[in-house]
């Protein structure tokens, strides 16, 4: 797969490209039509703006996939197991069985994943869990980490 974003390709030694040129039947990158602009080269001999460099710029916007973030629960010695199970069911839409497995994983390993989300969704989950734990006076900690 080609890289995301705007790409450019430098083409050297194209003496037919002078000043500003636009090839209306321009070359293609993949299957896309792209404009071609010849850049002026200040080092060109004779002090004119002749150029032997062309820049092909991708004009079609490329959709970037958003970064993903894991939302993690951390173990502690005081939050009741039932409370953690409830949190995982309520904020991560897990079944009671899955929530129990996640809680036990955290209990035994110190940390465990409740879900993977885009940045703003992950941030919202962390805030919701932390607010809910604080409201019930439990020290449960929830954090996010970039995948
Ligand atoms: N370790 C806690 C207990 O024994 C249970 C617990 C599990 C707490 C997961 C936090 O994220 C947690 N009561």
């Amino acid at each position: 797969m080609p890289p995301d974003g705007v790409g450019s390709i430098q083409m050297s030694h194209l003496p037919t490209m002078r000043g500003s040129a636009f090839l209306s039947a321009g070359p293609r990158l993949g299957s896309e039509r792209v404009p071609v602009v010849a850049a002026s080269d200040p080092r060109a001999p004779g002090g004119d703006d002749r150029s032997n460099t062309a820049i092909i710029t991708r004009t079609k916007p490329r959709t970037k996939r958003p970064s993903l973030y894991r939302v993690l629960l951390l173990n502690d010695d005081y939050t009741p197991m039932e409370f953690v199970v409830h949190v995982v069911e309520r904020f991560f839409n897990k079944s009671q069985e899955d929530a129990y497995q996640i809680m036990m994983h955290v209990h035994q390993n110190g940390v465990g994943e409740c879900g993977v989300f885009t940045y703003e969704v992950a941030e919202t989950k962390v805030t919701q869990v932390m607010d809910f734990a604080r409201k019930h006076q439990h020290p449960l900690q929830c954090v996010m980490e970039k995948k």
Side-chain angles (χ1 to χ4, degrees):
M1 183 191 275
D4 291 336
V6 174
S8 70
I9 295 173
Q10 283 219 327
M11 296 174 63
S12 299
H13 311 300
L14 291 176
T16 56
M17 303 290 298
R18 297 230 166 93
S20 171
F22 187 92
L23 295 186
S24 57
R28 287 163 176 272
L29 270 182
S31 61
E32 301 153 29
R33 192 179 297 279
V34 293
V36 175
V37 176
S40 129
D41 182 354
R43 295 164 304 178
D48 62 23
D49 65 354
R50 278 183 303 161
S51 169
N52 53 20
T53 301
I55 299 170
I56 300 174
T57 304
R58 185 187 299 284
T59 53
K60 182 181 171 188
R62 274 294 178 95
T63 305
K64 290 189 197 163
R65 288 163 304 190
S67 297
L68 293 176
Y69 295 79
R70 295 187 179 95
V71 175
L72 308 172
L73 281 180
L74 308 184
N75 190 38
D76 65 73
D77 292 338
Y78 305 102
T79 305
M81 289 185 170
E82 303 71 37
F83 183 81
V84 179
V85 172
H86 177 67
V87 163
V88 177
E89 287 181 63
R90 175 172 175 148
F91 296 109
F92 299 97
N93 307 311
K94 301 293 190 188
S95 68
Q96 194 173 65
E97 293 73 20
D98 286 354
Y100 180 79
Q101 292 302 323
I102 290 169
M103 182 281 296
M104 283 306 293
H105 177 95
V106 178
H107 177 68
Q108 291 165 352
N109 297 280
V111 61
E113 182 183 295
C114 296
V116 176
F117 308 97
T118 56
Y119 183 88
E120 287 191 349
V121 175
E123 196 182 39
T124 299
K125 301 279 183 196
V126 169
T127 300
Q128 288 174 333
V129 171
M130 294 296 286
D131 287 352
F132 191 66
R134 194 175 304 117
K135 178 172 142 188
H136 292 273
Q137 301 190 311
H138 296 310
L140 180 63
Q141 296 293 303
C142 183
V143 299
M144 59 195 270
E145 72 169 27
K146 199 167 195 286
K147 262 178 85 88

